[in-house]
Structure formats: structure tokens, C-alpha cells
């Protein structure tokens, strides 16, 4: 109990210190916006009264000052945001479980995004951050925010090329050590994802010609997901009736239909999400009572997956 009180007191002290930095950064940004607005007004006034050159000269002063202030405060803002994640989020995670840690500048590796076979398209642009890892009894796990995109290019009649970016996935990918050993892969995707097996699996992992759709004994599961595997027996060994029910229950708590893969004795779960977690507010106070509500809610959700899917129950001697 004393340790919990001390932890909350230390967290409050950190928040009080960062609140001073936040106010300074917010006020500087506001000053920059005012200077940029003043630049536009001066330029418009010069155009309106016919003194264009004078208007351009006069607007340069607030513009230059605003730009210099903006770039200087950007460095302070980056430090502030990193301190928030490391010191505030990092300390708050300990209230959930002592093993939980956050590494803001690390994420879910691109090579693992591809090898997980959760998605059929390799990304052309990939961003990941805020890796959180921990141990729930016997099961180690980690998760991170991911935004993966692919591009399409089109040439117009003049020969100019335009690029359009499309989302492959945006959300959180969760990885846990699975409680059974297996040497093939099984993929569970939303029913509306598509049925192209050949576009599904990575060539370096699967024998595409031997991959099959697995018909399972849970009608609700088959109505929600389509399951692929190169080994029907092992797919059923992994997807027991109890696990299918737990995956359905987990899916019902998610904002979008989840995707799941079982490969290399690991379980991967992709949760589509639009919200960007673990970000420090700039123009809102750090001292609000509900400051960490959304962030800690998603961490608890991820932490509880181990119990939700009964991953601590080890099967056939796996430890």
C-alpha cells in the first residue's frame, strides 16, 4: 500500500513539473499562431491599399520571428513529449503490473509485420512507435502502434506522376508467446477480407499450393472469420472450441474486426484503431483527473488478453 502511495506521489510530482513545461510550450505556440495571423493581415492590408511591396516588407518581420520561435519550441516539445511517455506513462504502467515498460521510440519491426502474415500487402511506408512489453504470469507479450501504407502511382496525359497512399493497417498489434508449440502457420482474418489464398501468405514462409481454408465447428466463428492453414489438423489443434469462443469474445470488445495469426509458436493479434495513444497534451492541462484514462484502459485491455485467451495454461509440456 505504501509503495502505491509513493508511486502516485512521484507521478504527481512529475506531472506538476511537466505542466510548467507544457504551459511554456503552449504559450509559445499560441504566440507563433498570432504572428502568422498578423503576417497574413499585413499582407492583405498591403494588397488592399495598393502598397504591395510595403506589405511584403512589413509582413516579413512577424513571419521571421514566428518561424524562428516555432522551430525552437519544436525541440522543446519533442523533449516534453518523450518525457511524458517515459516518466508519466512509464510510471503509470507500474500500477497495472511491475513488469510493464514502454519504449517510445521503438515499435513493431517491419520485418515482423511482414512475417506475421496478418496482411497480404507489404508496406511502402511504415511507422511504428510506443512499444509496451511485459509478462503476465508465464506469458511474455508486447504490443505497439503501427501505421502501414502502400502506394499507387498514376500518370496523367502530360506525363506527370501522382501518388496515392492507402492504409494497410492502422492500430495496435499485440504479440504473445502461445501456450502450444506448432511448426506451421494458421491465419484468421475478417470474413470480408477476401478469399485470395495466393495473395495471402508470404512466399518465404508457406507452401501456397498446400494452403487451405479450414472449416471449423463453430458457426459463429466461421461467419465472422475465414481461417487458412497449410495443416488442417494443426489448425484445429490450435483453434480449440474454447479458444474460438474467447477470440469471438475478444473481437466483440474491439472497435473493428480483429485479425489473428499463429506462427513460430507466437500469437499475433491486429486491432484496428484510429486513436493515437500515449501522446502528451499541449493545449490541455496535465492535471486533469482523467488524463490517463484512455491510455491505461487500452493497456489493461492488452494485458488482460493473456487471461482472456487462457495463454498461461501450458499445453503438452510447453513452459
Amino acid at each position: 500500500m505504501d509503495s502505491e502511495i509513493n508511486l502516485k506521489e512521484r507521478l504527481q510530482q512529475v506531472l506538476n513539473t511537466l505542466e510548467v513545461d507544457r504551459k511554456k510550450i503552449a504559450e509559445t505556440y499560441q504566440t507563433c499562431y498570432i504572428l502568422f495571423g498578423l503576417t497574413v493581415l499585413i499582407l492583405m492590408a498591403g494588397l488592399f491599399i495598393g502598397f504591395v511591396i510595403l506589405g511584403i516588407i512589413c509582413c516579413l518581420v512577424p513571419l521571421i520571428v514566428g518561424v524562428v520561435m516555432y522551430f525552437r519550441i519544436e525541440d522543446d516539445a519533442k523533449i516534453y513529449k518523450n518525457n511524458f511517455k517515459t516518466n508519466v506513462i512509464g510510471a503509470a504502467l507500474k500500477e497495472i503490473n511491475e513488469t510493464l515498460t514502454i519504449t517510445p521510440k521503438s515499435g513493431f519491426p517491419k520485418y515482423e509485420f511482414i512475417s506475421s502474415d496478418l496482411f497480404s500487402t507489404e508496406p511502402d511506408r511504415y511507422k511504428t512507435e510506443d512499444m509496451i512489453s511485459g509478462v503476465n504470469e508465464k506469458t511474455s507479450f508486447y504490443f505497439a502502434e503501427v501505421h502501414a501504407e502502400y502506394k499507387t502511382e498514376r500518370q496523367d496525359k502530360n506525363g506527370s506522376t501522382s501518388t496515392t497512399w492507402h492504409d494497410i493497417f492502422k492500430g495496435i498489434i499485440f504479440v504473445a508467446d502461445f501456450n502450444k508449440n506448432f511448426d506451421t502457420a494458421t491465419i484468421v482474418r475478417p470474413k470480408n477480407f477476401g478469399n485470395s489464398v495466393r495473395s495471402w501468405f508470404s512466399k518465404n514462409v508457406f507452401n501456397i499450393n498446400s494452403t487451405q481454408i479450414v472449416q471449423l465447428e463453430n458457426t459463429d466463428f466461421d461467419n465472422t472469420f475465414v481461417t487458412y492453414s497449410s495443416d488442417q489438423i494443426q489448425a484445429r489443434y490450435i483453434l480449440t472450441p474454447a479458444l474460438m469462443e474467447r477470440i469471438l469474445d475478444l473481437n466483440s470488445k474491439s472497435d473493428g474486426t480483429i485479425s489473428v495469426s499463429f506462427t513460430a509458436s507466437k500469437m499475433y493479434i491486429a486491432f484496428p484503431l484510429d486513436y493515437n495513444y500515449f501522446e502528451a497534451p499541449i493545449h490541455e492541462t496535465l492535471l486533469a483527473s482523467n488524463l490517463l484514462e484512455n491510455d491505461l484502459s487500452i493497456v489493461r485491455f492488452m494485458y488482460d488478453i493473456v487471461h482472456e485467451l487462457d495463454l498461461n495454461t501450458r499445453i503438452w509440456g510447453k513452459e
Side-chain angles (χ1 to χ4, degrees), residues 12 27 33 45 51 56 126 129 178 183 218 282 292 301:
Q12 191 60 53
E27 289 170 358
Y33 301 149
F51 292 96
I56 293 173
Y126 188 80
E129 63 178 351
F178 198 58
D183 53 19
N218 187 316
I282 296 290
L292 302 177
F301 180 84

Side-chain angles (χ1 to χ4, degrees), residues 40 45 77 80 96-97 119 121 129 153 158 179 238 241 264 277 316:
V40 174
Y80 159 75
I96 299 174
N97 185 275
F119 310 97
T121 305
E129 63 178 351
E153 294 181 339
N158 297 320
N179 59 2
I238 294 169
Y277 291 92
W316 288 3

Side-chain angles (χ1 to χ4, degrees), residues 111-276:
Y111 73 85
E112 195 169 6
F113 178 90
I114 296 169
S115 65
S116 72
D117 277 285
L118 285 165
F119 310 97
S120 61
T121 305
E122 292 190 13
D124 296 309
R125 186 162 65 186
Y126 188 80
K127 180 182 178 183
T128 180
E129 63 178 351
D130 299 336
M131 172 74 79
I132 292 179
S133 58
V135 179
N136 186 331
E137 296 181 21
K138 298 178 181 179
T139 304
S140 59
F141 65 91
Y142 53 92
F143 61 91
E145 293 180 310
V146 171
H147 188 193
E149 302 168 279
Y150 72 93
K151 65 181 178 181
T152 56
E153 294 181 339
R154 182 180 179 182
Q155 279 193 337
D156 60 24
K157 59 183 180 181
N158 297 320
S160 299
T161 301
S162 61
T163 301
T164 304
W165 290 95
H166 313 269
D167 282 346
I168 300 171
F169 175 76
K170 185 178 182 182
I172 288 177
I173 296 181
F174 172 93
V175 188
D177 176 39
F178 198 58
N179 59 2
K180 300 178 181 179
N181 287 312
F182 48 86
D183 53 19
T184 61
T186 297
I187 314 297
V188 177
R189 289 290 300 173
K191 194 76 173 181
N192 60 2
F193 181 79
N195 295 320
S196 176
V197 175
R198 291 186 177 274
S199 67
W200 194 283
F201 296 103
S202 297
K203 293 180 181 179
N204 61 333
V205 178
F206 295 101
N207 180 351
I208 295 176
N209 293 324
S210 66
T211 300
Q212 301 174 2
I213 295 176
V214 182
Q215 297 296 331
L216 299 163
E217 296 178 358
N218 187 316
T219 303
D220 290 338
F221 194 88
D222 277 347
N223 287 338
T224 306
F225 303 105
V226 57
T227 304
Y228 294 97
S229 182
S230 56
D231 188 323
Q232 295 266 338
I233 295 174
Q234 198 160 88
R236 291 182 174 85
Y237 161 70
I238 294 169
L239 289 166
T240 63
L243 182 58
M244 285 189 284
E245 287 294 341
R246 292 186 179 107
I247 290 174
L248 283 170
D249 184 57
L250 186 67
N251 184 65
S252 69
K253 298 173 183 177
S254 176
D255 291 341
T257 305
I258 64 176
S259 303
V260 186
S261 70
F262 302 86
T263 183
S265 293
K266 290 182 180 180
M267 180 182 200
Y268 294 85
I269 310 176
F271 294 90
L273 295 165
D274 286 328
Y275 191 80
N276 190 10

